[in-house]
Amino acid sequence: MDTLAVQKVGRSYQIDLQGLTMQLLLATAALSVILRPHPVVGAAVSPAITKNVVLNVGNTKLAPDGFSRSVVVANGQYPGPLITANKGDNLVVTVNNRLTDPTMRRSTSLDFDGIFFSTPNSFNEGTPFVTTCPISPGASYTYTVPLTDQSGTFWYHSQLSVQYVDGLRGPLIVYDPQDPLANLYDVDNENTIWQVGDWWHNTTIPLLAGYVATGIVPVSDSGTFNGVGRFQGGPEVPFFVQNVTPGKRYRFRIINQSARNVFTMSVDSHDLTHFEPPAIIEADGVATSPMVVNQIEILAGQRYSVVLNANQPVANYWINAPFVGGDPSRNLNQNATLSRAILRYDGAPKADPATSMTLGPLNPNALVEANLRPFAAEVPPEPDVNITLNLVVTAGKAQWNVNGVSYLPPKSPTLLRILEGADKAADFNVTENTFILPRNAVIQVDFPPNDDDEAHQQLLAHQVE
């Protein structure tokens, strides 16, 4: 398993690569940085088992927010079925491509967001034309994913273009039987996962075509919470209900499965993370030192675990999940206030909360990401190589530039050319923006300030500390 230790200083990241035959840093429009977990010293390790999963990817009609449309989903549902495993297990996922709708992409590929991949297993990472080829209609592919020492909250989704916006996205939870923070919560199961995401009434092919033509990013019609939502003027789809028992402490795993929207999560009259209010105990698959907050801003692709103490009077409470993502005047279906769910105590009436819908607490004790600290920290060594990535959006165009280059998918996957002997920058297209890094080196990546500082970057199959 490739490992790295990374330290963030301002907008710089130091990355320690160990055991790599060759590592390519592929700079694209979507680079992000996350934290790597480390095993608890001396913890017992459960015997690894193989977890087999079958995902039949096909088209069906669904109406998550009351508007019926053709979608791309796994096993007929949105979000996709829950995949669970334990730390150290081997995950074997067979994807059967049964897509037929000609109005959407009919090939597909799967990414396990946040999971590490070793060099010999890179082709299972799922990035089309970089590490793998897409799965064609009627074909199948089996992903083999050794989970090694990772645990936490992850998700899977289509990695082909923006196909997951059409519905192919779902949760992946890797449990740690020796979780060092298990004493902080009583309940952590398939019923304590919160999946939020943007939802669109149009399919991604015309949405993307409009973006490319105008440079204006589309605005979602609604937001969904565990697969249901409402849009302005639409039917009153029942809100998702989270049932709780008074006196219990719940670990809620929050996943933002959006393409664009940023959600702001809170629960009326409750904090998030034990010690009375709720507390954050995990970020992007990394156990963190508990931090008490009552509001969390979560960007697309991010995941948090929070502990909520069900210590309030028996009643119904709003779970607020308003979002931002472009100018709402461009889509009159959007009403972010309708993005929410209900926290229902045992014994409370089956009704909406008596309080009005709000965007969250008036005086929020909001999460400041810079204050998060890993539960088991590691100091990285000094860097051997420094890389600067300047991110610039071309005005009026749907074009990101990284160091002056706009990425274009190669005709032959990058990994395939490596297997054929490519080993220097000249062997790759300029528009692949490929960096060849030395083995066992510490790499520092700097992101200078840019005009779109709300953008976040992702380094797939790695985590950053």
Side-chain angles (χ1 to χ4, degrees):
M1 169 67 67
D2 301 347
T3 63
L4 34 76
V6 185
Q7 182 177 33
K8 179 179 179 182
V9 182
R11 294 175 65 87
S12 297
Y13 299 86
Q14 294 175 356
I15 307 175
D16 181 16
L17 302 174
Q18 303 174 12
L20 291 176
T21 305
M22 177 184 293
Q23 175 65 42
L24 298 178
L25 175 62
L26 301 165
T28 70
L31 297 165
S32 134
V33 201
I34 41 188
L35 298 172
R36 173 189 169 90
H38 298 277
V40 178
V41 176
V45 179
S46 300
I49 66 169
T50 296
K51 182 69 178 289
N52 293 290
V53 177
V54 176
L55 298 178
N56 295 314
V57 177
N59 301 114
T60 189
K61 282 200 169 183
L62 294 177
D65 64 356
F67 179 88
S68 180
R69 54 155 291 190
S70 179
V71 296
V72 177
V73 290
N75 296 2
Q77 65 184 75
Y78 168 78
L82 169 64
I83 299 176
T84 63
N86 282 336
K87 179 178 178 178
D89 287 351
N90 294 311
L91 193 59
V92 179
V93 181
T94 298
V95 175
N96 300 313
N97 185 349
R98 298 176 178 174
L99 294 170
T100 58
D101 190 333
T103 68
M104 293 179 282
R105 288 172 179 80
R106 284 174 284 181
S107 293
T108 193
S109 183
L110 208 62
D111 176 55
F112 303 90
D113 210 297
I115 298 297
F116 302 154
F117 287 84
S118 63
T119 300
N121 200 32
S122 295
F123 52 87
N124 279 315
E125 186 272 321
T127 302
F129 311 111
V130 178
T131 60
T132 190
C133 291
I135 306 168
S136 60
S140 298
Y141 182 77
T142 298
Y143 296 87
T144 301
V145 186
L147 297 173
T148 63
D149 66 349
Q150 283 193 267
S151 64
T153 306
F154 307 95
W155 64 301
Y156 63 90
H157 58 84
S158 170
Q159 190 75 334
L160 179 64
S161 185
V162 289
Q163 185 185 53
Y164 81 82
V165 176
D166 287 316
L168 183 47
R169 32 185 160 160
L172 167 59
I173 309 300
V174 183
Y175 294 102
D176 181 359
Q178 305 294 330
D179 183 2
L181 297 173
N183 63 304
L184 297 182
Y185 55 87
D186 305 306
V187 183
D188 175 25
N189 57 32
E190 68 277 6
N191 298 316
T192 60
I193 302 168
W194 293 353
Q195 301 170 79
V196 294
D198 40 27
W199 190 250
W200 314 72
H201 293 174
N202 208 346
T203 59
T204 56
I205 290 180
L207 285 172
L208 184 58
Y211 174 41
V212 171
T214 65
I216 299 173
V217 183
V219 176
S220 72
D221 293 278
S222 63
T224 59
F225 192 117
N226 281 0
V228 293
R230 295 183 182 182
F231 65 95
Q232 184 67 27
E236 293 188 351
V237 177
F239 293 114
F240 170 78
V241 175
Q242 177 66 62
N243 294 297
V244 296
T245 299
K248 295 287 187 180
R249 300 166 302 166
Y250 291 81
R251 176 176 182 164
F252 291 117
R253 298 173 181 265
I254 307 173
I255 308 170
N256 185 352
Q257 299 173 344
S258 294
R260 186 183 190 194
N261 287 358
V262 179
F263 285 78
T264 302
M265 308 291 297
S266 64
V267 183
D268 285 358
S269 303
H270 292 75
D271 286 326
L272 302 170
T273 306
H274 191 39
F275 310 128
E276 298 320 315
I280 299 170
I281 61 170
E282 179 218 351
D284 294 333
V286 180
T288 62
S289 296
M291 176 187 297
V292 178
V293 300
N294 62 11
Q295 183 171 284
I296 296 173
E297 183 180 82
I298 181 169
L299 278 69
Q302 287 188 305
R303 296 94 59 201
Y304 287 108
S305 281
V306 301
V307 178
L308 181 143
N309 193 348
N311 60 358
Q312 297 299 304
V314 171
N316 292 295
Y317 298 88
W318 288 120
I319 304 173
N320 308 298
F323 58 85
V324 294
D327 183 355
S329 68
R330 295 186 182 278
N331 190 337
L332 299 183
N333 285 335
Q334 187 180 111
N335 181 348
T337 307
L338 297 176
S339 179
R340 60 187 54 252
I342 297 172
L343 185 77
R344 177 169 295 155
Y345 278 69
D346 291 346
K350 294 181 178 180
D352 287 354
T355 57
S356 60
M357 296 182 185
T358 70
L359 298 179
L362 291 176
N363 299 299
N365 174 27
L367 165 67
V368 177
E369 285 188 328
N371 294 335
L372 285 172
R373 295 293 182 269
F375 186 77
E378 178 179 326
V379 178
E382 291 298 315
D384 301 307
V385 177
N386 290 276
I387 294 175
T388 298
L389 300 180
N390 285 290
L391 311 180
V392 178
V393 181
T394 302
K397 293 185 178 181
Q399 180 178 338
W400 279 79
N401 300 282
V402 182
N403 292 356
V405 177
S406 179
Y407 177 81
L408 293 174
K411 292 182 179 179
S412 177
T414 304
L415 181 61
L416 180 59
R417 272 174 294 157
I418 294 172
L419 295 174
E420 293 172 344
D423 61 1
K424 55 185 181 295
D427 295 330
F428 304 94
N429 299 335
V430 172
T431 52
E432 287 178 83
N433 229 353
T434 302
F435 294 77
I436 298 178
L437 307 178
R439 182 179 180 180
N440 294 328
V442 178
I443 314 299
Q444 177 164 303
V445 183
D446 295 308
F447 296 91
N450 61 77
D451 293 334
D452 191 11
D453 262 358
E454 290 187 358
H456 58 296
Q457 297 79 38
Q458 185 171 14
L459 193 58
L460 290 176
H462 295 85
Q463 286 193 336
V464 176
E465 180 177 285

